[in-house]
Amino acid sequence: MQDAAEKPAITPEIVAEHGLKPDEYQRLLKILGRAPSLTELGIFSVMWSEHCSYKSSRVWLKTLPTSGSKVIQGPGENAGVVDLGDGDCAVFKMESHNHPSYIEPFQGAATGVGGIMRDVFTMGARPVANLNALRFGAPEHPKTRHLVDGVVAGIAHYGNCTGVPTIGGETNFDAGYNNNILVNAMCVGLAKTDKIFYSAAKGVGLPVVYVGSKTGRDGIHGATMASAEFDDKSDEKRPTVQVGDPFTEKLLIEACLELMATDMIIAIQDMGAAGLTSSTSEMADKGGVGIELILDHVPQREANMTAYEMMLSESQERMLMILKPGRESDAEKIFTKWGLDFAVIGKTTDTGRMIVTHKGKVEADLPVPVLANSAPMYERPYFHPVPPAPVLPEWVPAPNSLTNALTTLMASPALASRRWIYQQYDHMVMGDTVGRPGGDAGVVRVHGTQKGIAATCDVTPRYVAADPEMGTKQAVVETWRNLCAVGADPIAITDNMNFANPERPEIMGQFVASVKGMGEACRVLDYPVVSGNVSLYNETNGIGIPPTPAIGGVGLVPDVSKIADIALKRDGDLLVVIGLERGWLGQSLYQGIIASKFEGAPPPVDLADELKAGRLVRALIREDKVSAVHDCSDGGLLVAVTEMALAGNLGVDLYPYEGTLPPHAVWFGEDQGRYVLSVSPAKAEEVLERARLLALPARVIGKVGGDAITIRGDEDPTPLAKLRSLNEAWLPDYMAGH
């Protein structure tokens, strides 16, 4: 250890600055049997941060279903892996970069994309698709426009420069995110099932190798910062935000994949949150070995870096590898060819300890198992939120005109086209994108085959805020429906659990209920959780974000020539809606925007009906019985039909509703489990009959044709051109400052 004269005293203030509570520091002292050095304190602070240790959430995450017939690797590695058949597998995960993106939107969002891509290619997969789920504050908030501009530009820059298509996502605006935006990035990669790489450093005397970019002082305390709530001085945390370089990332992907094609690698790990600290300790722990690091050998971007800075830096585009002995020079040649740093910075040992030396001095000497596994695991107190009572359809006032209500909704920030965002993303690069943004799910072809991977992400935070259990169940099911709607068999999910301060019992209650809802939906649908991320302390000055458990779903398309999209294609087709209609207006966009309040219970989910409807829709797509499919979600049935009409530039003639429910509740209610199908008249009766045989309600609601949305019995037809203009205008006008 350092000499006493050189060793700074660890004061309560220094402990607090590292995000450790007094009782946690006492726990650390007991484990070590002595006071830590400053470097050791820094190491423990990041490993015990919420961001790295999941200390508030682990006890609940363990209840989720994580295995299934197609699951190759569940939670616990860099990313989840599922089997696609024929020796192919999909590797995917979603992660948050919320706090950095608020402080420095361009770099925060860009490095979020870079980090999640590294999680995927460190498993041996080539990234083939990116998605993102973005939540911004109210449009009128003074920071919102700046944040949207920076975040979208950062995502576009990083994804486009690395040559990975962005194929889907979602963007919400809500005052609940005014001072704490959410940037959740998802990446899907492709690998061969016999060439998956893991992070366990098994074996003694093996070289520990650093590759990629040099280490700088950027991102120090990034993990700790991501585990704390914001206050009015959050902008001062800008130095904790990492800076990314997508061109280096591209080189790193290619170099790693080239090395992976050899037999030199024993283990590999991305240097993400907590940088060298987490990657070395996790690899050593999983392999049951010790590790010695000589920091003098770490490639450094800045002069006079300390051990503390190098161990905690979150500089981007870096990987750590354990190689087979004697293969160092062969591996170095590959990385030198790609213009990347390569350095042997240590070795594995049989001591079970992490020993860090710098300039001949031992800066840290810690037991690996303790470092990796001793973080406190809290069963925090919580109380379950009481769900509100349902709102009956007749309690919500009808509009003067259905079509006027429709135009108001389509022009609102909630439903306005996101084209301004996704046209900045290259979604066709690599040449395998077959399902583009703007539909229910993006689809990329498994290169050189007829198979496709479908991916989507979704959550409706207003549902979750009203009833976390049912709202999260709905989010899982929404991704399921989105996959079914393009013709994909849903396989598994990843999640990003964004919540406020878990030390508040009401917030912890939201989290617990949310996990319960997710677990139930995943079990019934056979749709396990294979990876994910928890982001807590998303609040500013004690005001938390709406609970936002973002769900990313991945499915397999057996034949990409048999997929569906939302665009109407044929004059004369009949529109069929499948699924139970209850006219559910509680927590609907109609209720919030037209009736000016959100209240009541969110729409319930019937998992048994979801299973039946999803299977039927997939079968109809593959049998070429339908020409377009769209699930009903935000805005209800009339919005879904309008989106289909706008996508295909074909109008619809809608028949009057003849049931017992109020017409506005049928057209705008957000009943779950519903799909709109475009079917030729010759096949319509068969489709209706197949639904009835499954005890699924189904009816014909209109006919495709013309250039307007017509609701018989309502006012004059609304031209598609008018709807398109209103729907497309809001976001570009807003971003232009109009």
Side-chain angles (χ1 to χ4, degrees):
M1 299 306 303
Q2 295 168 313
D3 296 337
E6 296 176 358
K7 184 176 169 181
I10 305 295
T11 63
E13 289 76 22
I14 290 174
V15 171
E17 281 172 13
H18 283 75
L20 292 175
K21 293 190 165 54
D23 61 319
E24 291 176 334
Y25 184 63
Q26 291 305 312
R27 180 187 180 107
L28 191 163
L29 292 177
K30 191 174 179 181
I31 287 169
L32 287 184
R34 57 173 171 79
S37 69
L38 186 62
T39 300
E40 290 174 331
L41 180 67
I43 287 170
F44 269 100
S45 80
V46 292
M47 292 303 292
W48 286 10
S49 68
E50 193 74 58
H51 190 77
C52 291
S53 75
Y54 292 61
K55 56 191 177 187
S56 300
S57 58
R58 267 185 298 167
V59 65
W60 298 106
L61 297 176
K62 288 177 178 179
T63 66
L64 290 169
T66 57
S67 58
S69 59
K70 293 190 181 308
V71 176
I72 295 173
Q73 175 65 51
E77 272 290 342
N78 288 291
V81 186
V82 295
D83 194 355
L84 301 176
D86 311 310
D88 298 311
C89 59
V91 180
F92 63 99
K93 189 181 180 185
M94 188 189 287
E95 218 166 49
S96 59
H97 233 220
N98 304 335
H99 289 51
S101 299
Y102 182 77
I103 296 166
E104 181 53 69
F106 182 95
Q107 291 296 352
T111 51
V113 175
I116 196 64
M117 284 172 53
R118 282 193 297 283
D119 279 339
V120 165
F121 75 75
T122 192
M123 302 288 295
R126 178 175 290 280
V128 295
N130 287 332
L131 299 92
N132 52 73
L134 312 177
R135 321 278 162 191
F136 297 104
E140 58 272 19
H141 190 272
K143 279 193 173 180
T144 298
R145 189 180 286 107
H146 160 71
L147 290 166
V148 172
D149 189 57
V151 164
V152 171
I155 291 170
H157 174 68
Y158 209 100
N160 295 354
C161 291
T162 50
V164 178
T166 299
I167 64 165
E170 56 170 348
T171 304
N172 293 159
F173 296 90
D174 186 283
Y177 305 103
N178 277 353
N179 298 301
N180 201 127
I181 65 172
L182 302 185
V183 175
N184 295 171
M186 177 176 168
C187 181
V188 184
L190 267 172
K192 292 294 182 183
T193 52
D194 60 351
K195 293 292 282 186
I196 300 168
F197 289 82
Y198 297 98
S199 56
K202 294 178 179 175
V204 172
L206 306 174
V208 178
V209 174
Y210 171 120
V211 300
S213 289
K214 289 180 168 62
T215 293
R217 291 188 171 94
D218 51 326
I220 293 171
H221 290 304
T224 313
M225 181 263 295
S227 307
E229 56 192 79
F230 277 169
D231 54 32
D232 293 328
K233 296 181 178 178
S234 295
D235 281 352
E236 295 173 8
K237 295 180 179 179
R238 189 165 279 112
T240 62
V241 178
Q242 314 90 326
V243 176
D245 178 357
F247 299 105
T248 301
E249 178 100 340
K250 175 66 175 167
L251 298 173
L252 189 59
I253 292 172
E254 299 303 333
C256 285
L257 291 176
E258 184 174 333
L259 185 66
M260 287 166 168
T262 70
D263 64 347
M264 301 185 209
I265 300 176
I266 290 174
I268 182 167
Q269 176 84 3
D270 160 41
M271 279 191 245
L276 258 177
T277 292
S278 63
S279 51
T280 49
S281 58
E282 287 170 12
M283 291 176 86
D285 179 60
K286 287 177 183 174
V289 296
I291 202 156
E292 287 181 6
L293 294 181
I294 303 168
L295 296 185
D296 309 72
H297 298 165
V298 171
Q300 296 160 56
R301 195 169 66 233
E302 300 177 45
N304 303 314
M305 289 192 71
T306 64
Y308 180 96
E309 290 170 332
M310 280 186 271
M311 290 304 292
L312 270 64
S313 167
E314 294 185 11
S315 295
Q316 297 292 287
E317 293 88 38
R318 302 179 301 159
M319 308 288 279
L320 201 67
M321 298 181 184
I322 310 294
L323 295 184
K324 290 182 178 178
R327 305 301 300 273
E328 296 94 325
S329 61
D330 295 334
E332 185 172 10
K333 286 173 186 168
I334 292 173
F335 284 89
T336 303
K337 181 183 79 174
W338 289 100
L340 296 166
D341 277 286
F342 178 100
V344 178
I345 64 167
K347 64 181 181 184
T348 60
T349 67
D350 61 1
T351 63
R353 302 186 73 82
M354 176 198 278
I355 298 173
V356 179
T357 61
H358 186 224
K359 296 182 177 177
K361 292 180 179 174
V362 175
E363 296 280 359
D365 183 349
L366 300 168
V368 165
V370 165
L371 187 57
N373 303 306
S374 67
M377 187 160 72
Y378 295 125
E379 292 193 39
R380 297 198 183 277
Y382 69 91
F383 56 79
H384 275 307
V386 179
V391 169
L392 297 181
E394 53 269 25
W395 296 354
V396 182
N400 298 327
S401 145
L402 292 170
T403 49
N404 283 350
L406 174 67
T407 53
T408 301
L409 285 168
M410 294 302 293
S412 71
L415 288 176
S417 168
R418 303 306 192 231
R419 189 183 307 277
W420 182 89
I421 294 173
Y422 65 72
Q423 70 184 8
Q424 297 184 48
Y425 307 148
D426 190 335
H427 49 266
M428 296 306 291
V429 65
M430 299 178 88
D432 280 318
T433 304
V434 288
R436 304 185 183 194
D440 287 321
V443 183
V444 290
R445 183 194 305 268
V446 175
H447 192 70
T449 76
Q450 277 297 101
K451 293 185 300 193
I453 300 172
T456 182
C457 50
D458 224 295
V459 63
T460 308
R462 64 182 185 275
Y463 292 175
V464 186
D467 182 343
E469 184 175 340
M470 186 60 75
T472 307
K473 198 182 294 184
Q474 188 278 336
V476 172
V477 167
E478 177 68 20
T479 67
W480 164 274
R481 276 200 301 273
N482 285 343
L483 295 172
C484 291
V486 298
D489 296 321
I491 297 177
I493 69 165
T494 183
D495 63 65
N496 207 140
M497 306 288 280
N498 306 274
F499 288 78
N501 186 343
E503 296 168 48
R504 289 160 54 195
E506 69 275 18
I507 303 300
M508 199 65 215
Q510 288 178 339
F511 183 87
V512 172
S514 180
V515 171
K516 187 179 175 185
M518 187 191 305
E520 185 183 345
C522 289
R523 273 186 282 273
V524 174
L525 299 173
D526 189 19
Y527 193 37
V529 185
V530 296
S531 59
N533 174 247
V534 177
S535 174
L536 302 177
Y537 297 94
N538 287 290
E539 59 181 65
T540 301
N541 295 328
I543 300 170
I545 60 159
T548 312
I551 307 295
V554 170
L556 172 67
V557 177
D559 181 351
V560 291
S561 69
K562 294 179 177 170
I563 59 171
D565 61 27
I566 71 170
L568 297 178
K569 297 171 186 68
R570 294 188 304 228
D571 267 335
D573 265 11
L574 296 177
L575 292 181
V576 174
V577 62
I578 290 176
L580 184 64
E581 295 176 293
R582 304 170 67 176
W584 198 280
L585 289 170
Q587 299 297 335
S588 68
L589 287 184
Y590 175 90
Q591 186 197 43
I593 295 170
I594 307 299
S596 302
K597 56 183 174 184
F598 285 114
E599 62 181 9
V605 171
D606 185 318
L607 294 169
D609 276 2
E610 294 281 2
L611 267 174
K612 291 191 292 188
R615 286 169 181 161
L616 174 61
V617 167
R618 298 198 303 269
L620 293 171
I621 292 169
R622 291 168 195 176
E623 295 166 24
D624 200 28
K625 295 286 191 328
V626 293
S627 62
V629 180
H630 194 15
D631 80 308
C632 295
S633 54
D634 277 346
L637 177 59
L638 189 53
V639 166
V641 169
T642 304
E643 289 171 342
M644 296 172 82
L646 289 171
N649 203 30
L650 276 173
V652 290
D653 177 21
L654 294 168
Y655 307 151
Y657 171 69
E658 295 177 347
T660 58
L661 293 164
H664 70 290
V666 171
W667 288 115
F668 296 114
E670 295 180 6
D671 305 310
Q672 299 296 297
R674 294 183 302 163
Y675 300 82
V676 180
L677 315 176
S678 184
V679 186
S680 71
K683 294 175 182 174
E685 191 52 46
E686 179 193 344
V687 169
L688 292 168
E689 184 59 25
R690 286 172 68 171
R692 289 174 191 137
L693 286 170
L694 294 168
L696 291 169
R699 65 187 180 98
V700 176
I701 59 168
K703 191 173 183 179
V704 177
D707 58 4
I709 302 288
T710 304
I711 306 172
R712 293 187 190 175
D714 199 58
E715 293 194 352
D716 292 336
T718 306
L720 285 184
K722 176 184 176 182
L723 283 163
R724 186 182 311 282
S725 171
L726 289 166
N727 184 244
E728 294 279 356
W730 181 79
L731 190 51
D733 285 356
Y734 172 72
M735 294 308 297
H738 300 161

